[in-house]
């Protein structure tokens, strides 16, 4: 019974392309990317080939490997280097020994050799979005999943996002009859990654990276744009298809000025959709928090996570909260302060005010090194202050920060 079900799934035109195999017996073909590892020296730097082609070759200090020696072989087969040819008139040196290399299929985590992102960081960001795409979504319909990535860069995170949603889309036909049929297929996708960059050359490079992985298996889930993020969101939100209705399931802002785009992005976010801000400095995350509070955006801070150095273990969470000093609250509405109240916003439970009007975390034993790294946004007249510190007991490492926000339900529109 189980074998019959498996055979029927393999014959299904909708699901066949989504099956994954533990070992691929298909021989390497022209256009494939291959990873070569030395057979005897496991710690040696691997060789990442260009797309295979007849007549091509790999040249290195250990010799030459023709592409023709790789084409036709399979995963874990062995190839040997050939010594480089001596130039005419040059005294022949001692014959170089052949080096054996084992062939491996390129996996997405190994593809970072051409994309500057650590697999652990990309996997963490994708995991935060909690994406669940299934084959039945492509066949039976359902809501469309649309993810915005602002800041395409080299396309590394784009690949991880596209792989996460890949199962939701029907198989791409081998050949489109015309451009109209291609656009029809794209319009019927159940999941899509919109990735935007302000520089055309970076966007073009990212497209080549995405198309270069496994013959572009994940490329058709992605739409590339060259534009300002806010301008693109406003234009798309009010086009004929969306008519002002929120359409973004999740958004990733990998931008130095992410706080300037939050208000526009929030309008296009669906309720409970996630906005992940990726910045190298915690101060930039604080600017986003302050902007949200000051302008009353319908976004709620879920967590702040510090990414580890060199793609280490899962990131460490930070405690980030917004508050107004008591003096500011009294100045805004002195009559609203009742004797005995804290005078601090309820979001800041667990903080205390000092005599000089500053804020300090209460009942927390923070050592001198951690205390020196606590950051505050500049205080504005009557404005919000941000208090942040690492979770107690953790060591401080670098690597960048993720600010995770969620779209709140707008109760004013439902009233």
């Amino acid at each position: 019974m189980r074998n019959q079900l498996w055979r029927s799934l393999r014959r299904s035109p909708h699901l066949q392309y989504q099956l994954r195999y533990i070992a691929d017996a298909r021989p390497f073909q022209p256009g494939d990317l291959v990873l070569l590892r030395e057979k005897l020296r496991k710690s040696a730097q691997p060789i990442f080939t260009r797309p295979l082609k007849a007549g091509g070759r790999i040249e290195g200090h250990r010799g030459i490997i023709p592409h023709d020696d790789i084409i036709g072989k399979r995963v874990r087969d062995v190839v040997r280097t050939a010594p480089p040819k001596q130039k005419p008139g040059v005294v022949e040196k001692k014959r170089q020994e052949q080096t054996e290399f084992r062939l491996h299929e390129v996996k997405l985590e190994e593809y970072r050799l051409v994309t500057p992102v650590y697999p652990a960081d990309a996997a963490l960001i994708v995991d935060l979005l909690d994406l669940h795409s299934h084959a039945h979504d492509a066949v039976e319909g359902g809501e469309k999943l649309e993810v915005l990535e602002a800041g395409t860069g080299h396309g590394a995170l784009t690949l991880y996002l596209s792989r996460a949603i890949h199962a939701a889309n029907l198989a791409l036909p081998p050949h489109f009859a015309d451009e109209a049929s291609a656009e029809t297929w794209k319009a019927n996708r159940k999941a899509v990654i919109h990735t935007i960059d302000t520089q055309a050359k970076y966007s073009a490079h990212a497209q080549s990276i995405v198309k270069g992985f496994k013959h572009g298996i994940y490329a058709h889930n992605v739409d590339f744009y060259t534009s300002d993020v806010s301008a693109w969101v406003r234009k798309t939100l009010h086009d004929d298809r969306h008519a002002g209705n929120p359409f973004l399931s999740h958004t990733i802002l990998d931008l130095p000025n992410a706080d300037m785009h939050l208000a526009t992005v929030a309008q296009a976010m669906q309720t409970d959709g996630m906005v992940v801000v990726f910045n190298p400095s915690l101060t930039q995350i604080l600017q986003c928090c302050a902007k949200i509070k000051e302008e009353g955006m319908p976004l709620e801070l879920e967590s702040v996570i510090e990414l580890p150095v060199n793609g280490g273990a899962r990131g460490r969470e930070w405690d980030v909260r917004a508050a107004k000093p008591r003096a500011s609250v009294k100045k805004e509405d002195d009559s609203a302060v009742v004797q005995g109240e804290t005078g601090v916003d309820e979001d800041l439970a667990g903080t205390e005010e000092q005599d000089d009007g500053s804020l300090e975390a209460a009942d927390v034993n923070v050592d001198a090194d951690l205390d020196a790294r606590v950051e505050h946004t500049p205080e504005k007249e009557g404005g919000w202050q941000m208090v942040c510190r690492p979770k107690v007991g953790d060591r401080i490492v670098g690597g960048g920060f993720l600010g995770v926000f969620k779209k709140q339900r707008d109760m004013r529109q439902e009233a």
Side-chain angles (χ1 to χ4, degrees), residues 141-356:
E143 291 188 6
K144 189 171 185 177
L145 176 67
E146 299 189 58
V147 179
L148 170 62
E149 179 196 20
T152 307
H154 287 72
L157 181 58
T158 312
L159 267 173
Y160 279 85
L161 291 169
S162 183
R163 183 177 69 168
I165 68 167
H166 183 63
N169 292 326
L170 290 172
L172 184 70
H175 300 286
F176 286 115
D178 50 39
E179 185 175 345
S181 59
E183 291 301 319
T184 300
W185 181 88
K186 290 181 66 175
N188 290 326
R189 289 175 298 180
K190 295 302 179 184
V192 61
I193 304 297
H194 304 289
T195 183
I196 303 174
D197 204 287
T198 57
Q199 301 293 325
K201 63 178 181 179
Y202 294 146
S203 183
H205 173 69
Q207 289 188 57
S208 67
I209 293 295
V210 174
K211 290 180 179 178
F213 183 72
K214 291 187 179 294
H215 297 271
I217 184 174
Y218 302 128
H220 300 284
N221 304 321
V222 184
D223 290 341
F224 292 86
Y225 304 92
T226 302
S227 173
D228 173 77
V229 177
S230 293
W232 182 88
V233 171
R234 283 192 293 265
K235 179 181 177 181
T236 308
L237 179 62
H238 297 287
D239 63 13
D240 293 338
R241 185 167 70 89
H242 300 105
N245 296 314
F247 66 98
L248 291 176
S249 306
H250 303 291
T251 296
I252 299 171
L253 298 178
D254 185 3
L255 304 168
N257 58 339
D259 59 308
M260 304 301 295
H261 302 283
L262 285 173
T264 303
V265 169
Q267 296 176 16
M269 293 295 301
Q270 296 176 348
T271 300
D272 209 38
M274 194 170 294
V275 178
V276 178
V277 178
F278 184 19
N279 285 136
S281 169
L282 183 57
T283 304
Q284 294 167 298
I285 303 296
L286 298 180
Q287 290 172 349
C288 293
C289 296
K291 193 89 168 180
I292 290 170
K293 283 289 186 181
E294 290 169 2
E295 298 187 8
M297 299 181 199
L299 295 174
E300 181 181 9
L301 180 64
E302 286 275 305
S303 60
V304 176
I305 300 172
E306 181 181 9
L307 296 177
V309 175
N310 300 329
R314 185 181 177 93
R316 176 187 58 179
E317 188 173 355
W318 278 61
D319 181 15
V320 175
R321 293 173 285 176
K324 287 186 178 181
R326 185 184 307 189
S328 298
V329 175
K330 286 183 178 181
K331 190 171 183 178
E332 288 181 1
D333 189 1
D334 187 68
S335 62
V337 180
V338 180
Q339 187 174 1
E341 292 182 349
T342 62
V344 181
D345 185 81
E346 61 181 359
D347 289 344
L348 236 235
T351 61
E352 294 179 345
E353 187 187 24
Q354 304 302 300
D355 293 336
D356 60 358

Side-chain angles (χ1 to χ4, degrees), residues 43-82:
S43 60
Q45 182 71 17
I47 298 175
F48 186 80
T49 72
R50 294 180 179 274
L52 298 177
K53 64 178 181 179
R57 62 181 188 175
I58 304 166
E59 297 185 9
H61 67 282
R62 293 193 174 276
I64 298 173
I65 302 177
H67 284 194
D68 292 329
D69 289 357
I70 301 176
I71 296 174
K73 286 187 167 56
R74 291 177 167 81
V75 173
R76 300 197 66 80
D77 283 350
V78 174
V79 294
R80 296 175 177 84
T81 60

